[in-house]
Amino acid sequence: MRNFAGIVVPAVALAAISFVAAQPVQAQSAATSFFVTSNGIGNGGNLGGLAGADNWCQTLAQAAGAGAKASGEVKTWHAYLSTQEASGTPAVNARDRIGKGPWQNAKGVVIAKDVAELHGANGLTKQTALNEKGEVVNGRGDTPNRHDALTGSQPDGTAFAASEDRTCKNWTSSTQGAAMLGHIDRIGLRDDDASKSWNSSHPSRGNDGGCSQADFKSTGGDGLMYCFAAN
């Protein structure tokens, strides 16, 4: 009888511990409001426009259990992307489409409390700019290097003028054009502001015209994006 009790009680205790340990994972997923995509769409700079990019963020968030808040309210996920004025259609600023904050990663770390801090002294580093699964994204020095994030944005999160393409033709081209890229790990070839910029480091380039998946990979990227819960 004593032996039976000695076996059963620890088993129950273990089950209780496992249940409690599992709870924070669910809470973190529900609270996640920022992530880097674990994969790109795979078609270079042709994301299907802003709508296609937002849908990719939404899809990855839902798959990771971050599609809704703890209250059950569905989260609206937006890609951090700007578009440029074209054919009478006004530009869209990435900073204007991601909500007000604060935003936290899959581990519960707040990376910025509001839009101003995000574009100032934010908490984004290689260790905090996690993907939707809570994983660190390969950066400079890793194989393969995937630290380039598509943004199409200036350092303050606004769009570029229409004169020079920085958005792969507003995210519809997988050949000609260029995309402004940020460094997810905040590390580049030099010790300067551009190399350390999370959202405006350098434009894409490559043999296919600048916006193909191969072009993105050639400079240390994979078509990854930043996703923010806008509500």
Side-chain angles (χ1 to χ4, degrees), residues 156-182:
D156 64 354
T158 58
F160 285 90
S163 56
E164 195 168 5
D165 186 13
R166 287 291 180 266
T167 59
C168 291
K169 301 189 184 303
N170 286 337
W171 313 113
T172 63
S173 172
S174 58
T175 53
Q176 297 300 314
M180 181 52 71
L181 308 167

Side-chain angles (χ1 to χ4, degrees), residues 50 78-83 91-99 115 118-119 150-154 156-159 198-199 228:
L50 290 179
H78 282 172
Y80 181 91
L81 297 172
S82 294
T83 59
V92 174
N93 300 321
R95 65 178 293 140
D96 297 335
R97 58 190 322 271
I98 58 172
V115 173
L118 180 65
H119 295 91
L150 306 177
T151 71
S153 303
Q154 300 184 83
D156 64 354
T158 58
W198 69 279
N199 69 337
F228 289 80

Side-chain angles (χ1 to χ4, degrees), residues 126 137-147 185 187-188 220:
K126 181 179 179 179
V137 178
N138 277 13
R140 184 168 174 75
D142 298 324
T143 303
N145 178 10
R146 305 171 80 220
H147 76 166
D185 59 357
I187 300 173

Side-chain angles (χ1 to χ4, degrees), residues 120-152:
N122 63 50
L124 282 171
T125 65
K126 181 179 179 179
Q127 288 69 41
T128 62
L130 306 176
N131 67 23
E132 74 278 4
K133 302 173 186 178
E135 300 166 339
V136 172
V137 178
N138 277 13
R140 184 168 174 75
D142 298 324
T143 303
N145 178 10
R146 305 171 80 220
H147 76 166
D148 286 344
L150 306 177
T151 71

Side-chain angles (χ1 to χ4, degrees), residues 1-13:
M1 198 65 177
R2 288 177 182 174
N3 290 339
F4 177 77
I7 294 171
V8 172
V9 172
V12 171

